[in-house]
């Protein structure tokens, strides 16, 4: 546990990628395999089910620390993070025990599987009593589900690759999907001669960068394949050993959610992997994303449900075909193979995403401007000669979205942030005018600079009207321009609408609250989008 705490401290104290890789290499080379497996589990963002709620955890800490409720609340408000607050208020341990990471987390996993019957508070107290402050902090982060550290999976994969002299592509592939943090798994992960690689796993996803410059800067338009950017569920279809596995980009198995896609996909050749998008469908045309939301958490749906909530799959890449790895093959060749493999057109439950014909960048700009009325998010631009490279590689794929919607709104509620912003009010709720009342319509936390967040935080503390647990209501005086990708009718929200991916564009210090937009303006943004048909292309 002390070694992992030291690794966390080293990673947290540097922004240099080379330094982070070096610290990771040193850890993986010098640490037992079972501890390495659990470290990898945490660094990859995996979580253990919460043992206790935050209130119960705070009460246990208060009792052990011997401090009154009001004092703990004051400390919590100052620090802004429950895990850190508990680590700071607990009595110092004079002689701490160096617990094994695998032992501590393995016990937590067992406790979480047995629920409240396991009396987790006893085990939590035992660890607190015999651990140093930093180890307590990390332990608290894990049991509250808030453990984060500034490293990506690509960076961790690179460090393991360097440490054990295994190509990084193999490490990335072995880390895909679900796995148990065991000594055996880590040995298989780092084995040069492993023959147990799971061919049912997806290929590490290739991701796109947003295009923020003029498209003509990309060079000759004829070197780029253009496709519609769909608003659905990114997924790989893995046809292997007489089965089909549907993997989301988040590496969740969705096979049981979409049995209607499994049946036609079983006609694909054995040992084939497709990359594409699951979309809502009525049998002839693609619908809007909200029509797909009913499917996301529904496993083993009935035939009646499937008939009323159809889905289709639009494939835009083939990564393996009849056991031939195509990831290093140029995209134009992969596209040709895909056209031979699948039918074209939205009347098919599984089809290929057709490349958009274009004779110039200006023509593509005109197509992009049609996106919103067609119910798509914009265009994807892909290098014809590009390989299928894991992660977000600059210059390979670009997502060229339409300009977002934006409205001016008033800040009415605030809540403390997370991580390095845990002591600042940086999560905000915004409202628009409904006659003489402000109605909340969106929450956002990104878009402001650190300096602006500090100024807003100061305003919030000085202009709080009421407190509701961690939330403060604020004098409605600050106006912000809020951007979002889409808007739709929603009965679950007080304003009657829901927006997708809201974020702050600008702090409008030049505007007064009365200048903020009205609810009628938001409603005017909702318009019936044309279904996406062949004629729309």
């Amino acid at each position: 546990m002390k070694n992992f705490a030291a690794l966390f401290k080293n990673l947290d104290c540097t922004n240099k990628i080379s330094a982070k890789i070096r610290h990771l290499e040193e850890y993986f080379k010098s640490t037992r395999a079972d501890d390495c497996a659990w470290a990898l589990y945490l660094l990859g963002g995996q979580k253990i089910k919460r043992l206790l709620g935050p209130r119960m955890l705070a009460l246990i800490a208060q009792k052990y620390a011997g401090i009154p409720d009001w004092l703990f609340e004051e400390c919590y408000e100052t620090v802004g993070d429950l895990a850190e607050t508990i680590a700071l208020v607990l009595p110092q341990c004079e002689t701490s025990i160096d617990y094994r990471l695998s032992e501590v987390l393995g016990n937590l996993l067992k406790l979480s599987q047995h629920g409240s019957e396991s009396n987790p508070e006893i085990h939590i107290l035992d660890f607190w009593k015999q651990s140093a402050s930093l180890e307590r902090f990390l332990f608290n982060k894990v049991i509250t589900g808030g453990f984060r550290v500034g490293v990506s999976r690509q960076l961790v994969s690179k460090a393991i690759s360097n440490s054990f002299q295994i190509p990084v592509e193999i490490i990335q592939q072995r880390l895909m999907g679900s796995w148990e943090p065991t000594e055996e798994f880590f040995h298989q992960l780092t084995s040069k001669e492993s023959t147990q690689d799971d061919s049912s796993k997806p290929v590490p996803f290739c991701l796109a960068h947003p295009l923020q410059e003029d498209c003509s800067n990309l060079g000759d338009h004829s070197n780029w394949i253009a496709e519609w950017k769909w608003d659905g569920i990114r997924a790989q279809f893995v046809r292997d050993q007489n089965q089909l596995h549907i993997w989301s980009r988040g590496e969740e198995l969705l096979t049981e959610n979409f049995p209607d896609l499994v049946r036609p996909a079983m006609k694909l050749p054995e040992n084939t992997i497709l990359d594409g998008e699951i979309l809502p469908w009525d049998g002839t045309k693609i619908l809007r994303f909200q029509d797909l939301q009913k499917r996301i958490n529904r496993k083993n749906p009935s035939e009646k449900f499937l008939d009323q909530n159809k889905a289709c799959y639009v494939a835009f890449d083939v990564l393996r075909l009849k056991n031939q790895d195509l990831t290093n093959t140029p995209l134009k060749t992969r596209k040709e193979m895909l056209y031979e493999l699948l039918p074209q057109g939205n009347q098919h439950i599984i089809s290929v995403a057709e490349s958009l014909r274009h004779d110039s960048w200006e023509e593509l700009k005109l197509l992009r401007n049609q996106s919103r009325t067609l119910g798509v998010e914009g265009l994807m631009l892909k290098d014809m000669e590009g390989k299928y490279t894991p992660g977000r590689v600059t210059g390979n794929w670009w997502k060229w979205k339409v300009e977002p919607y934006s409205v001016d709104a008033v800040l009415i509620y605030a809540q403390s942030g997370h991580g390095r912003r845990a002591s600042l009010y940086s999560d905000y709720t915004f409202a628009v005018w409904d006659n003489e009342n402000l109605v909340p319509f969106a929450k956002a936390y990104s878009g402001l600079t650190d300096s602006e967040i500090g100024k807003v935080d100061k305003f919030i503390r000085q202009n709080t009207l009421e407190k509701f647990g961690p939330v403060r209501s604020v004098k409605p005086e600050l106006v912000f321009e809020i951007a979002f990708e889409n808007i739709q009718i929603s009965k679950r929200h007080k304003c009657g609408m829901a927006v997708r991916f809201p974020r702050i564009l600008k702090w409008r210090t030049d505007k007064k609250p009365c200048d903020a937009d009205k609810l009628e303006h938001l409603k005017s943004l909702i318009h019936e989008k044309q279904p996406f048909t062949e004629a729309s292309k």
Side-chain angles (χ1 to χ4, degrees):
M1 196 73 183
K2 290 185 183 295
N3 283 347
F4 184 70
L7 172 64
F8 175 86
K9 186 175 180 179
N10 287 333
L11 294 174
D12 195 49
C13 289
T14 181
N15 290 323
K16 294 183 177 180
I17 292 178
S18 58
K20 289 187 177 186
I21 290 177
R22 186 179 70 254
H23 292 312
L24 287 165
E25 288 176 10
E26 291 171 355
Y27 179 84
F28 289 126
K29 287 178 180 178
S30 62
T31 307
R32 290 176 48 142
D34 50 355
D35 287 345
C36 284
W38 273 105
L40 189 58
Y41 190 80
L42 293 181
L43 294 171
Q46 304 289 343
K47 299 184 185 301
I48 295 173
K49 183 181 177 182
R50 279 190 179 185
L51 299 174
L52 296 171
R55 184 58 190 160
M56 180 59 70
L57 202 61
L59 288 173
I60 296 171
Q62 284 175 231
K63 185 176 180 181
Y64 176 45
I67 60 176
D69 186 75
W70 67 267
L71 181 56
F72 187 89
E73 289 297 326
E74 288 292 325
C75 294
Y76 184 17
E77 184 170 327
T78 301
V79 175
D81 180 83
L82 180 61
E84 186 175 0
T85 302
I86 292 174
L88 292 172
V89 302
L90 295 178
Q92 292 296 312
C93 176
E94 294 183 2
T95 55
S96 61
I97 296 176
D98 187 8
Y99 286 96
R100 291 276 308 286
L101 182 66
S102 56
E103 180 183 355
V104 171
L105 300 186
N107 286 337
L108 288 180
L109 184 60
K110 291 177 183 176
L111 292 172
S112 69
Q113 293 169 346
H114 289 88
S116 58
E117 299 176 358
S118 58
N119 295 320
E121 58 269 23
I122 297 175
H123 301 274
I124 291 171
L125 271 173
D126 283 344
F127 185 86
W128 284 348
K129 290 177 180 179
Q130 301 180 83
S131 298
S133 181
L134 181 55
E135 287 91 272
R136 287 173 175 174
F137 168 70
L138 296 178
F139 177 81
N140 295 343
K141 279 292 188 183
V142 171
I143 61 178
T144 57
F147 179 84
R148 296 181 185 87
V149 64
V151 294
S152 65
R153 175 179 289 190
Q154 280 183 287
L155 195 146
V156 175
S157 298
K158 178 67 174 174
I160 295 176
S161 171
N162 293 347
S163 300
F164 297 93
Q165 300 300 303
I166 298 174
V168 67
E169 296 81 9
I170 294 178
I171 297 296
Q172 290 175 320
Q173 177 69 38
R174 291 175 181 176
L175 285 174
M176 292 295 287
S178 58
W179 46 270
E180 296 294 327
T182 63
E183 180 179 3
E184 181 184 7
F185 168 78
F186 194 78
H187 283 314
Q188 290 178 3
L189 175 70
T190 56
S191 171
K192 294 181 179 179
E193 301 175 357
S194 177
T195 58
Q196 301 184 30
D197 291 344
D198 189 350
S199 58
S200 69
K201 287 186 175 183
V203 172
F205 283 78
C206 179
L207 306 176
H209 275 283
L211 185 63
Q212 296 175 331
E213 58 182 328
D214 190 277
C215 56
S216 60
N217 292 335
L218 298 179
D220 191 336
H221 72 90
S222 62
N223 294 330
W224 294 87
I225 290 175
E227 302 166 343
W228 294 115
K229 187 184 185 310
W230 304 102
D231 188 12
I233 301 173
R234 177 87 179 271
Q236 288 185 22
F237 278 23
V238 181
R239 173 78 167 83
D240 177 72
Q241 297 181 5
N242 204 32
Q243 290 184 314
L244 184 84
H245 307 273
I246 301 177
W247 291 95
S248 74
R249 179 185 148 185
E251 298 177 34
E252 294 181 274
L253 267 174
L254 301 179
T255 315
E256 294 181 353
N257 303 70
F258 295 95
D260 47 337
L261 299 182
V262 172
R263 291 189 285 268
M266 286 299 293
K267 297 178 182 178
L268 293 169
E270 187 75 11
N271 296 315
T272 294
I273 298 180
L274 302 181
D275 189 8
E277 203 88 13
I278 298 174
L279 298 165
W281 190 58
D282 71 354
T284 59
K285 61 181 180 293
I286 294 168
L287 306 176
R288 294 167 297 182
F289 179 77
Q290 53 262 42
D291 297 307
L292 186 63
Q293 289 178 312
K294 298 176 185 177
R295 300 289 307 267
I296 293 174
N297 296 315
R298 179 73 72 97
K299 291 190 176 183
N300 299 313
S302 66
E303 290 296 329
K304 180 179 179 181
F305 179 85
L306 293 175
D307 187 59
Q308 295 172 345
N309 301 275
K310 293 183 175 68
C312 68
Y313 184 70
V314 177
F316 47 70
D317 217 329
V318 55
L319 314 179
R320 185 194 301 161
L321 184 60
K322 299 178 182 178
N323 213 30
Q324 179 186 359
D325 181 12
L326 302 176
T327 55
N328 290 319
T329 304
L331 175 60
K332 62 179 180 181
T333 304
R334 303 201 305 271
K335 273 287 188 180
E336 291 168 1
M337 299 172 80
L338 194 57
Y339 286 140
E340 293 178 3
L341 185 64
L342 296 175
Q344 300 178 31
N346 298 327
Q347 68 274 21
H348 301 283
I349 193 170
I350 296 180
S351 62
V352 60
E354 187 172 0
S355 302
L356 301 175
R357 301 182 187 91
H358 58 281
D359 294 323
S360 67
W361 287 119
E362 291 302 318
E363 194 171 324
L364 277 178
K365 288 179 182 179
L366 293 174
L367 283 171
R368 173 176 171 263
N369 292 338
Q370 300 175 31
S371 299
R372 188 159 279 147
T373 57
L374 297 178
V376 293
E377 296 182 319
L379 298 180
M380 291 293 301
L381 303 177
K382 301 178 180 179
D383 183 359
M384 293 181 66
E385 299 297 330
K387 300 176 181 179
Y388 190 92
T389 308
R392 216 176 294 275
V393 179
T394 302
N396 194 10
W397 288 10
W398 298 98
K399 49 185 176 183
W400 192 19
K401 290 187 176 184
V402 290
E403 295 301 319
Y405 296 104
S406 69
V407 297
D408 291 330
V410 182
L411 171 66
I412 60 170
Y413 298 114
Q415 188 171 349
S416 297
H418 301 279
R420 65 186 183 90
R421 293 180 176 174
S423 61
L424 296 169
Y425 285 95
S426 59
D427 290 10
Y428 313 118
T429 299
F430 299 95
V432 292
W433 291 104
D434 182 13
N435 296 320
E436 296 183 357
N437 300 314
L438 283 168
V439 180
F441 84 97
K443 293 183 177 181
Y445 56 87
S446 63
L448 295 181
T449 65
D450 289 344
S451 175
E452 288 174 325
I453 290 173
K455 292 176 182 178
V456 174
D457 177 78
K458 183 178 180 180
F459 173 88
I460 290 166
R461 294 178 189 277
Q462 294 176 348
N463 294 275
T464 295
L465 298 176
E466 292 182 89
K467 295 182 181 180
F468 310 95
V471 179
R472 294 189 178 203
S473 66
V474 184
K475 285 183 181 179
E477 295 183 7
L478 304 186
V479 180
F480 296 82
E481 185 179 356
I482 308 302
F484 48 91
E485 297 301 320
N486 206 344
I487 183 169
Q488 64 191 56
I489 295 171
S490 172
K491 296 179 180 179
R492 295 187 301 148
H493 295 78
K494 188 175 181 179
C495 67
M497 290 164 284
V499 297
R500 293 193 72 197
F501 308 127
R503 67 269 190 195
I504 303 167
L505 278 186
K506 186 189 296 184
W507 184 358
R508 297 305 302 262
T509 55
D510 58 324
K511 291 196 174 186
K512 297 179 180 179
C514 61
D515 298 323
D517 282 305
K518 293 180 172 59
L519 190 62
E520 287 79 5
H521 175 61
L522 271 181
K523 290 179 179 178
S524 72
L525 299 178
I526 301 177
H527 57 276
E528 195 64 34
K529 295 173 183 174
Q530 300 175 12
F532 191 91
T533 64
E534 287 297 302
S536 302
K537 296 182 185 178

